[in-house]
Amino acid sequence: MQPGIKLENFSKSYHAGEVEVHAVRNISLEIQPGEFVAIMGASGSGKSTMMNTIGCLDRPTSGRYFLDGVDVGGLTRDELADLRNQKIGFVFQGFNLLARTSAFENVELPMLYSRPGVRGREQRERAEKALELVGLGERADHQPSQLSGGQQQRVAIARALVNQPKLLLADEPTGNLDTHTSIEIMGIFQDLNRRGMTVIMVTHELDIARYAMRTVVMRDGRIVTDQPVTGRLDAAEELRKLKQEQQAIQLAP
Amino acid sequence: MILLKTFSIAVRALRRNTLRTLLTMLGIIFGVAAVIAMVSLGNGARAQLEASIAALGQNVVTVWSGTMSRGGFRGGFGSSGTLTAEDYEAIRKEVAGVNGVSPEVRNFAQLAAGNQNINSQIMGVGAQYIDIRSWPCSSGENFTEADVRNANKVALIGKTTAEILFADEEPVGQIVRVKSAPFRIVGVLASKGSDMWGRDQDDILLVPYTSAMRRLTGDLTFRSLMLQAASPQILGTVTNQVADLLRQRHRITGGKDDDFMVRTQQETVELFDAQARTTRELLFYVALISLIVGGIGVMNIMLVSVTERTREIGVRLAVGARGLDILLQFLTEAVTLSLTGGALGIAFGVACSRLVTQQLGWPTLTSSGSIVLAFGVSAAIGIFFGFYPSLKASRLDPIDALRYE
C-alpha cells in the first residue's frame, strides 16, 4: 500500500541572522493512512518544523515529501493552499478562531476558499454537521469569547473537519486544556481515527501521547525513537474512571 | 458569488470596529462633500450667468461713459458723463446694423403710491430699451418715442415693485410718485429674475430718459448706452464703428486714452466667468488635497488592520486561502471603506449645497456627473491606497503569521 505520508531524507534549515539553524536533519518517515501518530520532543527538537512541512505550510530545504504520492516540494504557493484546503485539517494549541465571529462562521471559513466553491446551502449543512459531530450543534451562534477552552477547541476541530480531509494535524491540541477536557478531545480524535482518518499530533505530554497508536520522539532535529504505543489508553474508558474517582472523592467524608 | 462573499467578509470586518471605520472615512467624507458642494456652487453660478446673458438681451453692446481722470485719480467707467445726447443721436444715425439704441440713466429714489412706498432703482431709457433687452410688458404697453421727445411723466413698472406698491390691484393707469413728481404707469414688465450680481431686476421703474434727466436727476450726460446689433456676426463691426465714431466726436487721436468703453455682453460674461473659474480651481485643489489626506488615512488604518489581524490572515492561509484571496479581501475592505465614505460625502455635500441655497440664496446645481465622479474618485482612492497594505497581507508567510503575537 502507498503510504499517505512519506518523508525522504528531509532536512529543513533557517537563517536566523548570520547563523544557519538546522531545525530538521535528514529524516525519513512513513505514515500509513489510518494511523494515529504522536510526535514528541522538547522545544527546539524540530517537531513543529516537521509538522509545518507535513501540513504543506512549508517546503523542505532538501529531501522530498510526498503527500498521497504527490511531491509537495515542487508545488507553487497556490497549489499548496489548495492542498491544505482539500486534504488537511489543522488544530492549534491556541485554537486560532476568528474573534467576534460566531462558531458557525468560523467553521464555514475553509469552505470560503474551496475551489470549486461550495454552494450556500451545502455550506450551511456541512458546517452544521461538523458542529454536531463535536457536540456543539446547540452553540453554533456563540462567539469564541462566550465558549470555554474545550468548546473553542471543538469549534476548531469542526473547522478542521468541514472539508472532509484525510489528514488531521494537531499542534499541542491539549496544551491549554485541563485533564478532563483533554481526554474529551482525545476521545474525538480516537473516534475520527476509528472512522479512517489519519491523525498526527504534536505533544509533549506523555499521558496524552498514550492515546495514539505510535509515538515518534525527536531530539535535535532527528528521530530518536519510533515505536508503537504499548498499553494504549481509550478515552471513553479513561473518562469513566475519572468520573468514578471524582465520585469517590465526593463520597469520602 | 465569490465577490459577494468577499464583500460580506469585508463588511463584517469593518463593523467590528465601527468607530475606527467612521473616523477613517471622515477624510473621504469631507473631501467628497467639498467636491460635490464646490461643483454644485460652480454649476449654479454658471447657470445663473448663462441666464443673465439671455436676460441682458441678445447681441447687446454696452457703451460705458468714460473714466474721469483728474489729478491722478481715476474713477471707474460710468463715473463721469462723457456720453451726450448728441453722441446718442450720432450713433443712432451713423452706425449700421443696429436694431436699436437706448441711453441709460440710473438713479435710486423713493417711490410712493397710495400708502405704500419703496426705494427702487429708476432707470431713464429710450423707447427701444425693452426690445433691446427682450423684456416685454406683461400688461399695458411700452411708452412711445413721443413720450420720450416730450419728457412725459409715464413709467413701466417692474414686477416686484408693482407687487409692493399695488399688491393685487392692476398697476396700469395708476399714479406713482417719484420724489413727489407723479408718473402714470403705462405698463408692467414681465419678470426677469436676478442679474449676475444677484440683484432683483424686477425691482425697477423705467421712465423716458428725458423725463429722468429733466425731472429727477438733473444730469446732462448718460451713464451708458445700450445697442443691439442685428446679428452676432456683426457684433465686432458694430463695436468698432461705435468706438471710431465716439473717438472722432470726442477728438481722441493717437495714443490718448478713450473716455468711454465699448463692451459686448460676452466680454462682460467672460470677465465674470474668469473670476468664477479661479475660485473653482482653488476649491478643486483644496478638495483634492483633502481626498489625498483621506486616502492616506485609509492606507494607515489598513496597515494597522493588517498588522492587528496577522494571526487571522495566518489562519485563513492555513485553511487554504490563496494570496489572491487575502489581497482581494483587504482591497475590498479598503474600497468598501472609501466608497461608503464617498456615499456619505455625496449626501453631506448635497445637503450642504441645499443649505447654502436655502440660507444664503446662492444658486446651486448638483449634477449627476459630479456624483458619478465623486464615486469613481472614492473607489480609485480605495484601490490606490488600499493596494499596498493588501499586498503586504497577501505576501505573509502562513507559519510566521500563525506565530505572530
Side-chain angles (χ1 to χ4, degrees):
Chain A
M1 194 162 109
Q2 193 187 34
I5 287 164
K6 186 178 177 190
L7 292 167
E8 261 180 20
N9 304 320
F10 158 62
S11 294
K12 182 79 198 176
S13 51
Y14 298 104
H15 290 276
E18 297 283 298
V19 194
E20 197 173 13
V21 182
H22 297 277
V24 176
R25 302 160 196 252
N26 206 27
I27 279 180
S28 292
L29 180 72
E30 284 184 16
I31 296 172
Q32 304 299 329
E35 276 197 89
F36 186 168
V37 181
I39 297 174
M40 303 194 64
S43 63
S45 61
K47 59 187 193 304
S48 290
T49 305
M50 193 165 79
M51 278 296 268
N52 287 337
T53 305
I54 292 173
C56 298
L57 289 164
D58 213 346
R59 280 173 288 212
T61 308
S62 69
R64 301 215 280 176
Y65 166 41
F66 295 95
L67 177 64
D68 285 342
V70 177
D71 186 354
V72 171
L75 300 181
T76 64
R77 229 178 107 107
D78 285 349
E79 285 168 334
L80 287 178
D82 292 350
L83 211 57
R84 292 196 293 271
N85 186 261
Q86 291 306 313
K87 296 201 168 169
I88 302 167
F90 289 95
V91 177
F92 306 96
Q93 178 177 8
F95 319 137
N96 276 337
L97 299 176
L98 301 193
R100 281 167 286 185
T101 305
S102 73
F104 190 79
E105 285 170 342
N106 264 295
V107 174
E108 277 184 319
L109 195 66
M111 292 186 284
L112 298 184
Y113 301 113
S114 294
R115 280 159 229 267
V118 183
R119 284 168 176 279
R121 214 175 114 200
E122 196 195 336
Q123 186 172 316
R124 270 194 304 281
E125 285 170 359
R126 270 161 67 175
E128 277 165 15
K129 220 177 114 194
L131 276 169
E132 272 162 26
L133 200 74
V134 296
L136 279 180
E138 304 286 299
R139 294 175 197 267
D141 56 340
H142 284 47
Q143 295 188 355
S145 57
Q146 298 165 314
L147 297 171
S148 72
Q151 287 167 334
Q152 287 187 52
Q153 194 58 299
R154 285 160 191 253
V155 175
I157 294 170
R159 180 178 67 192
L161 297 178
V162 79
N163 264 350
Q164 292 138 4
K166 287 187 182 154
L167 176 60
L168 185 70
L169 292 182
D171 193 352
E172 303 267 7
T174 59
N176 288 354
L177 302 174
D178 60 49
T179 313
H180 186 261
T181 320
S182 297
I183 299 172
E184 281 179 350
I185 298 294
M186 286 306 109
I188 295 174
F189 282 9
Q190 284 186 336
D191 268 359
L192 290 168
N193 179 241
R194 255 175 237 128
R195 292 182 208 184
M197 186 177 288
T198 314
V199 180
I200 303 176
M201 168 177 80
V202 165
T203 183
H204 60 264
E205 294 165 88
L206 263 172
D207 49 339
I208 289 296
R210 285 176 68 198
Y211 291 94
M213 297 152 84
R214 170 181 170 193
T215 50
V216 174
V217 181
M218 293 183 70
R219 192 183 301 143
D220 297 331
R222 290 195 174 89
I223 293 174
V224 284
T225 58
D226 180 354
Q227 59 194 16
V229 173
T230 49
R232 187 180 181 211
L233 297 175
D234 178 68
E237 177 67 25
E238 291 305 307
L239 275 177
R240 201 171 48 77
K241 279 193 212 160
L242 203 65
K243 213 179 244 172
Q244 278 174 350
E245 277 171 34
Q246 278 170 343
Q247 274 172 348
I249 291 167
Q250 274 164 3
L251 287 174
Chain B
M1 191 61 204
I2 287 181
L3 258 176
L4 204 72
K5 264 183 199 165
T6 316
F7 180 72
S8 79
I9 292 173
V11 171
R12 224 178 273 162
L14 291 173
R15 276 175 51 187
R16 272 184 228 151
N17 241 316
T18 318
L19 181 67
R20 195 169 73 186
T21 304
L22 269 175
L23 286 174
T24 310
M25 285 192 296
L26 268 189
I28 296 200
I29 291 174
F30 283 123
V32 168
V35 171
I36 294 287
M38 180 260 313
V39 173
S40 303
L41 270 171
N43 283 347
R46 193 184 208 95
Q48 201 183 26
L49 209 62
E50 273 158 16
S52 60
I53 296 174
L56 216 61
Q58 296 215 305
N59 312 325
V60 169
V61 178
T62 309
V63 185
W64 296 91
S65 178
T67 55
M68 183 169 56
S69 241
R70 201 178 281 154
F73 286 99
R74 175 171 284 201
F77 282 98
S79 59
S80 88
T82 55
L83 297 172
T84 62
E86 289 74 34
D87 290 335
Y88 166 54
E89 290 300 332
I91 289 171
R92 266 187 110 166
K93 278 189 198 119
E94 292 175 33
V95 179
V98 172
N99 281 354
V101 190
S102 165
E104 283 183 317
V105 181
R106 290 191 192 203
N107 191 18
F108 279 89
Q110 205 70 24
L111 308 182
N115 55 3
Q116 299 293 323
N117 71 92
I118 179 180
N119 191 288
S120 287
Q121 180 167 227
I122 316 291
M123 281 241 297
V125 295
Q128 291 170 325
Y129 184 76
I130 64 172
D131 294 332
I132 294 171
R133 296 208 51 196
S134 330
W135 201 356
C137 290
S138 61
S139 68
E141 280 176 354
N142 191 12
F143 50 72
T144 61
E145 289 290 351
D147 287 325
V148 176
R149 241 185 344 265
N150 301 331
N152 285 343
K153 288 184 278 185
V154 289
L156 298 173
I157 194 164
K159 193 166 157 284
T160 308
T161 320
E163 276 165 9
I164 289 167
L165 290 180
F166 301 106
D168 298 333
E169 279 180 75
E170 172 58 51
V172 175
Q174 304 263 20
I175 297 296
V176 58
R177 288 188 307 282
V178 185
K179 288 182 177 171
S180 78
F183 278 73
R184 187 168 50 83
I185 292 167
V186 293
V188 179
L189 292 162
S191 175
K192 220 169 171 57
S194 334
D195 66 7
M196 58 183 124
W197 289 268
R199 203 165 46 203
D200 181 5
Q201 298 182 93
D202 296 324
D203 182 9
I204 201 165
L205 194 74
L206 296 183
V207 300
Y209 70 93
T210 44
S211 318
M213 289 162 88
R214 214 168 295 167
R215 301 181 198 279
L216 300 174
T217 65
D219 286 347
L220 296 171
T221 54
F222 306 126
R223 177 181 171 274
S224 55
L225 288 169
M226 207 173 248
L227 285 75
Q228 186 177 40
S231 72
Q233 288 78 27
I234 59 162
L235 264 176
T237 329
V238 168
T239 308
N240 290 338
Q241 279 186 60
V242 170
D244 288 344
L245 179 65
L246 287 176
R247 277 190 205 113
Q248 195 187 321
R249 292 185 54 83
H250 295 185
R251 297 193 178 78
I252 296 164
T253 54
K256 275 203 223 162
D257 286 346
D258 288 344
D259 61 355
F260 60 89
M261 181 176 70
V262 188
R263 274 247 191 280
T264 63
Q265 82 203 43
Q266 265 70 25
E267 287 169 333
T268 315
V269 163
E270 276 160 21
L271 205 72
F272 270 84
D273 203 35
Q275 284 173 357
R277 201 179 306 133
T278 313
T279 317
R280 273 206 301 275
E281 273 169 15
L282 190 74
L283 279 167
F284 175 77
Y285 286 116
V286 170
L288 192 73
I289 289 168
S290 166
L291 280 175
I292 290 174
V293 171
I296 292 171
V298 169
M299 177 143 84
N300 189 8
I301 234 62
M302 290 312 295
L303 281 172
V304 170
S305 182
V306 167
T307 309
E308 213 181 59
R309 286 154 65 193
T310 303
R311 276 180 89 96
E312 176 192 323
I313 295 165
V315 173
R316 288 179 187 273
L317 288 170
V319 302
R322 292 182 179 183
L324 188 68
D325 293 323
I326 302 293
L327 180 87
L328 283 180
Q329 182 193 336
F330 281 89
L331 206 55
T332 310
E333 236 170 84
V335 172
T336 307
L337 195 72
S338 64
L339 273 187
T340 313
L344 289 175
I346 287 168
F348 189 49
V350 170
C352 279
S353 310
R354 294 256 167 88
L355 202 71
V356 161
T357 308
Q358 214 174 60
Q359 297 295 316
L360 302 174
W362 296 355
T364 54
L365 197 73
T366 312
S367 68
S368 52
S370 64
I371 288 178
V372 170
L373 179 84
F375 231 79
V377 168
S378 312
I381 282 176
I383 292 171
F384 184 79
F385 288 100
F387 192 78
Y388 172 67
S390 308
L391 191 69
K392 218 179 135 185
S394 73
R395 288 196 173 159
L396 282 172
D397 181 72
I399 298 166
D400 292 342
L402 277 169
R403 277 205 205 116
Y404 185 84
E405 293 298 330

